[in-house]
Amino acid sequence: MYAIIKTSGKQYKVEPGQDFEIDRIQGEAGTAVDFSDVLLISNEADTTFGTPTIAGAVVKAEIKEQFRGPKLIVFKMKRRKRSRCKNGHRQDMTRLTVKEIIGA
């Protein structure tokens, strides 16, 4: 069984027991989080599509940790102008564990 959820403008395919990473959300480690924007739920027998979301469907997850992602280098250069700009960026992230998927 798996579901496709939408959070912070992105879509994620999740399964029970799976760990996944999203942009930072509020909460401490061990806090339960519910995602109600479920776009699709599928098991071996059938698939349920939302229009745009499935009413009453919820994905329950637990926050494992808050962390920072890997450093990304942003380098901009204009040729023949001797113009260069180098910056780095690290995104704040949250690691979650999916506990269960509840269909409508």
Side-chain angles (χ1 to χ4, degrees):
M1 174 179 227
Y2 70 90
I4 296 179
I5 62 170
K6 179 180 168 185
T7 179
S8 64
K10 300 175 187 171
Q11 296 177 5
Y12 299 93
K13 178 181 175 184
V14 296
E15 298 175 1
Q18 175 188 3
D19 291 348
F20 70 105
E21 301 168 357
I22 62 172
D23 290 340
R24 169 126 343 149
I25 58 174
Q26 296 295 322
E28 298 294 324
T31 305
V33 179
D34 294 342
F35 296 101
S36 59
D37 288 341
V38 180
L39 306 176
L40 178 138
I41 295 178
S42 178
N43 54 20
E44 294 79 25
D46 61 323
T47 302
T48 305
F49 295 95
T51 55
T53 60
I54 301 171
V58 176
V59 173
K60 295 185 179 279
E62 180 181 338
I63 297 176
K64 283 184 77 174
E65 66 174 322
Q66 304 280 6
F67 68 102
R68 299 189 74 193
K71 186 167 191 173
L72 302 176
I73 303 297
V74 180
F75 185 76
K76 297 179 182 178
M77 182 179 113
K78 296 185 180 173
R79 61 186 182 151
R80 300 187 301 269
K81 306 295 182 195
R82 295 180 64 110
S83 174
R84 296 182 189 98
C85 180
K86 181 179 177 182
N87 288 318
H89 174 74
R90 290 184 71 185
Q91 184 69 31
D92 293 330
M93 308 281 288
T94 301
R95 184 171 286 123
L96 300 162
T97 302
V98 178
K99 294 300 180 186
E100 63 179 325
I101 299 171
I102 301 172

